[in-house]
Amino acid sequence: MIIYNEQERRDKMAKVKAKTIFVCSECGNESPKWLGKCPACNSWNTFYEQKVEKYSEENKIEKKANNTPQPLNTYIGQEANRTSTGYIELDRVLGGGLVKGSLILLGGEPGIGKSTLILQLCEKVQGEGNVLYVSGEESAEQIKLRADRLGIKNDELLFLGETDIEIVRDAIVETKPKLVIIDSIQTMYSNEISAAAGSVSQVREITSQIMRVCKSQQITTIIIGHVTKDGNIAGPRVLEHMVDTVLYLEGERYNTYRILRAVKNRFGSTNEIGMFEMKQEGMCEVTNPSDILISERDDNPSGSCIIASIEGTRPILVEVQALTSQTVFGIPKRTGNGFDYNRLSVLMAVIEKRAGLMLGNQDVYFNIAGGMKLSEPAVDLGIIATVASAYKNIPIAKDAVIMGEVGLTGEIRRINLIEKRLKESEKLGFKTCIIPESNKKGLKDEYKLDIIGVKNIGEALKKLGIR
């Protein structure tokens, strides 16, 4: 008979029991057995075997005893410790700067400027401590050539060309940097998982390991991720839930302007945007986007007007353009660049029914200048006025700004943050503002503007001289 002492008995009971499951490499769906076709994403031959660790009941009891619920009032809340990035626009999107120990996910299309922006950030944070740049896509020579072109001379910038997450994790622990850059998450792999690099399980496990080591060491980490053809970051959706902040770098590849948008931020406001311009010397921030977006509007053609939109907490004046032409086929075409197609179709129906403009035989092409993407309802009235101006071939006053939400009955509804929109319009030298009547009644400040309140789209078009 074998007799165990107490320590040997505890070690034996705490041994890990292995369990095998099958995981889809496309969507991450789990199954207790192998399947030829995934029932979740309908992909064929994507299941692979994976071992799952399951601890004994005694081990679970010990973990539960060491982690019992406590009253929330017994904890002491602390303000986030932030470090400025050196970019006003980037600090705005992040909510004031980089938070110590935070995990940031930056996504964008290939060639949009993600690596360029992050490499410039490494120069801006010089003096705050070591920066570890981990690249699985480019060699040290390629990164050095780009750094020389951008004028990066940070002696505290360390480079590691590696794709094995175990080696990367050990390097983070040894160097103890203040900032870690992972470029990109899809190139990293772990030997503990048999799936290929970039698969759902690999991305999920690697992000989990990076999060554990960086949270424990209070290291700020920026993960760069690729996006799919739908515009979403490649990998499982749980990846966006694991990180603290999700940033998207948007813009047309052949357009010089880039929009950095926050879609998730545990330490600041969401839907904040920062604007950058891609130049030969790198990404340059645009501190006054309104002036840039309307600067090329020299003449005053029909089918063009200025609208006031709010992005996060910032008012932005944007030029919207519309073009109508006789349709060749029986069904008219509706095309919108930078605006939701379904919302555009609804507004076209409202114009026909409530304003009496027959667009059934007209193709309507709509564009928001500068590569901006707008979704708030306050731009509805500007879109309707622009389409009506193009259809009637009557230009809108060059010094007018239009804002207001439009309902299905043609009424102009109240919008939020009207004071910020008016102040931005006044600052840029505009003379007239068309706003909802309900907003005009509540104004308290005095403006050097001719503020016109309207109740419906018919009244608005009449004030603009289109109807």
Side-chain angles (χ1 to χ4, degrees):
M1 186 174 84
I2 301 176
I3 300 177
Y4 295 98
N5 58 33
E6 182 63 20
Q7 184 61 37
E8 290 177 341
R9 188 186 69 82
R10 293 173 67 89
D11 293 342
K12 183 178 178 64
M13 293 296 295
K15 280 187 177 179
V16 175
K17 298 179 181 179
K19 177 185 175 183
T20 300
I21 62 172
F22 294 87
V23 182
C24 175
S25 60
E26 294 294 327
C27 67
N29 184 38
E30 298 179 357
S31 173
K33 61 180 180 179
W34 185 88
L35 299 174
K37 181 180 180 181
C38 176
C41 64
N42 296 324
S43 299
W44 288 91
N45 298 325
T46 56
F47 276 93
Y48 65 92
E49 185 177 3
Q50 180 176 339
K51 291 184 179 181
V52 178
E53 295 181 346
K54 183 178 180 181
Y55 292 91
S56 64
E57 292 297 326
E58 182 175 334
N59 187 263
K60 291 182 180 179
I61 294 173
E62 289 180 0
K63 290 181 66 177
K64 182 178 179 181
N66 295 329
N67 192 12
T68 57
Q70 300 291 334
L72 182 61
N73 292 332
T74 60
Y75 294 93
I76 301 176
Q78 295 181 351
E79 291 291 333
N81 186 8
R82 297 182 183 271
T83 302
S84 175
T85 62
Y87 286 107
I88 298 175
E89 295 295 296
L90 186 53
D91 285 345
R92 176 197 298 273
V93 176
L94 292 172
L98 295 171
V99 177
K100 186 177 180 180
S102 63
L103 189 60
I104 302 170
L105 177 61
L106 174 62
E109 296 180 356
I112 203 70
K114 303 184 298 297
S115 300
T116 300
L117 178 62
I118 295 302
L119 197 57
Q120 289 178 265
L121 171 63
C122 296
E123 173 70 11
K124 293 288 185 179
V125 297
Q126 186 173 0
E128 299 293 338
N130 288 336
V131 178
L132 179 59
Y133 193 106
V134 182
S135 177
E137 298 180 342
E138 298 178 284
S139 64
E141 290 76 14
Q142 291 175 303
I143 299 294
K144 185 63 171 65
L145 287 174
R146 181 186 299 157
D148 291 341
R149 177 173 59 86
L150 299 175
I152 309 297
K153 300 183 183 301
N154 188 354
D155 295 332
E156 298 174 326
L157 178 58
L158 308 177
F159 177 81
L160 176 63
E162 186 56 62
T163 57
D164 191 338
I165 191 60
E166 281 76 19
I167 299 177
V168 173
R169 185 180 58 198
D170 294 340
I172 294 174
V173 175
E174 290 176 4
T175 58
K176 292 183 172 56
K178 296 296 183 181
L179 176 64
V180 174
I181 311 295
I182 306 295
D183 186 11
S184 66
I185 191 65
Q186 280 81 15
T187 61
M188 300 293 159
Y189 73 93
S190 174
N191 292 322
E192 298 177 359
I193 299 177
S194 58
S199 62
V200 172
S201 57
Q202 284 279 10
V203 171
R204 181 171 52 191
E205 175 63 23
I206 290 167
T207 305
S208 178
Q209 292 191 32
I210 294 174
M211 181 178 65
R212 284 195 296 268
V213 65
C214 291
K215 290 287 184 181
S216 62
Q217 302 287 333
Q218 288 292 293
I219 300 173
T220 305
T221 307
I222 300 178
I223 298 174
I224 298 177
H226 298 305
V227 298
T228 62
K229 61 181 180 181
D230 298 327
N232 298 319
I233 295 179
R237 298 297 297 182
V238 71
L239 178 61
E240 298 187 16
H241 296 288
M242 295 171 65
V243 300
D244 298 312
T245 304
V246 180
L247 306 178
Y248 278 90
L249 191 60
E250 304 172 350
E252 300 293 335
R253 182 179 298 182
Y254 304 106
N255 195 337
T256 59
Y257 297 110
R258 304 287 188 266
I259 305 296
L260 183 65
R261 189 184 303 272
V263 297
K264 175 189 175 182
N265 193 353
R266 290 174 178 165
F267 307 106
S269 173
T270 57
N271 288 327
E272 282 283 7
I273 70 165
M275 194 167 185
F276 296 85
E277 184 178 4
M278 177 65 81
K279 296 182 178 180
Q280 185 176 0
E281 58 269 22
M283 300 281 278
C284 301
E285 57 183 344
V286 179
T287 56
N288 191 358
S290 299
D291 194 22
I292 296 294
L293 294 172
I294 63 177
S295 61
E296 299 181 7
R297 190 172 179 256
D298 296 329
D299 52 0
N300 190 28
S302 61
S304 172
C305 81
I306 301 298
I307 61 175
S309 176
I310 294 289
E311 292 292 335
T313 58
R314 164 190 283 180
I316 295 180
L317 299 188
V318 185
E319 179 187 1
V320 294
Q321 303 169 339
L323 176 67
T324 61
S325 62
Q326 190 80 21
T327 182
V328 178
F329 304 100
I331 301 176
K333 187 176 182 180
R334 306 282 188 259
T335 302
N337 184 24
F339 192 72
D340 182 60
Y341 170 80
N342 294 327
R343 184 62 179 171
L344 181 62
S345 299
V346 170
L347 294 178
M348 296 303 100
V350 173
I351 293 177
E352 291 190 357
K353 184 69 175 180
R354 306 302 177 186
L357 301 182
M358 295 295 103
L359 301 175
N361 62 344
Q362 297 287 320
D363 292 335
V364 178
Y365 303 93
F366 181 78
N367 177 55
I368 296 178
M372 292 287 294
K373 294 181 180 179
L374 303 179
S375 58
E376 68 158 344
V379 304
D380 291 349
L381 183 57
I383 292 174
I384 286 181
T386 306
V387 173
S389 171
Y391 178 70
K392 290 287 190 177
N393 198 24
I394 300 175
I396 297 174
K398 187 177 180 180
D399 59 355
V401 179
I402 303 173
M403 60 195 86
E405 180 184 352
V406 177
L408 293 181
T409 61
E411 82 279 11
I412 310 300
R413 306 178 67 88
R414 175 187 292 271
I415 59 177
N416 64 343
L417 301 176
I418 186 67
E419 290 82 6
K420 286 189 174 183
R421 303 175 199 261
L422 293 176
K423 288 179 181 179
E424 183 74 8
S425 304
E426 185 181 39
K427 184 178 71 173
L428 293 177
F430 288 88
K431 304 299 182 183
T432 306
C433 282
I434 306 293
I435 68 172
E437 180 67 28
S438 56
N439 280 116
K440 183 180 179 181
K441 295 178 180 179
L443 290 179
K444 298 179 180 179
D445 298 335
E446 295 183 359
Y447 301 91
K448 298 178 182 179
L449 295 167
D450 182 14
I451 301 176
I452 302 174
V454 292
K455 296 181 180 179
N456 53 64
I457 62 172
E459 184 179 349
L461 295 180
K462 186 176 180 180
K463 294 289 185 181
L464 291 169
I466 300 177
R467 188 175 179 183

